Amino acid sequence: MKSIQFAILAILAAVAGVNAATDSTTGICQLACFPEEPQCAEGWYPVELGVCWTCCTGS
């Protein structure tokens, strides 16, 4: 069951990354899919992309 959950999370992360790459308002985003707003490193900010949260930089 955990492998299925991991596969779904990986797919969501990939989709979030593609959306971020094509969305000029979010800049460059990490290929991560967090269920809650993450604490991002300095120079990065949290962005909600559908059901995922990730960290982005730039604009």
Side-chain angles (χ1 to χ4, degrees):
M1 185 69 168
K2 288 189 180 202
S3 62
I4 292 171
Q5 292 171 337
F6 180 76
I8 292 170
L9 186 61
I11 290 168
L12 290 173
V15 169
V18 170
N19 288 342
T22 60
D23 184 356
S24 62
T25 61
T26 57
I28 299 171
C29 299
Q30 297 175 350
L31 291 176
C33 178
F34 301 106
E36 298 176 351
E37 185 174 348
Q39 293 289 332
C40 299
E42 186 176 333
W44 293 77
Y45 54 91
V47 173
E48 186 175 21
L49 299 171
V51 297
C52 294
W53 283 88
T54 192
C55 294
C56 299
T57 187
S59 56

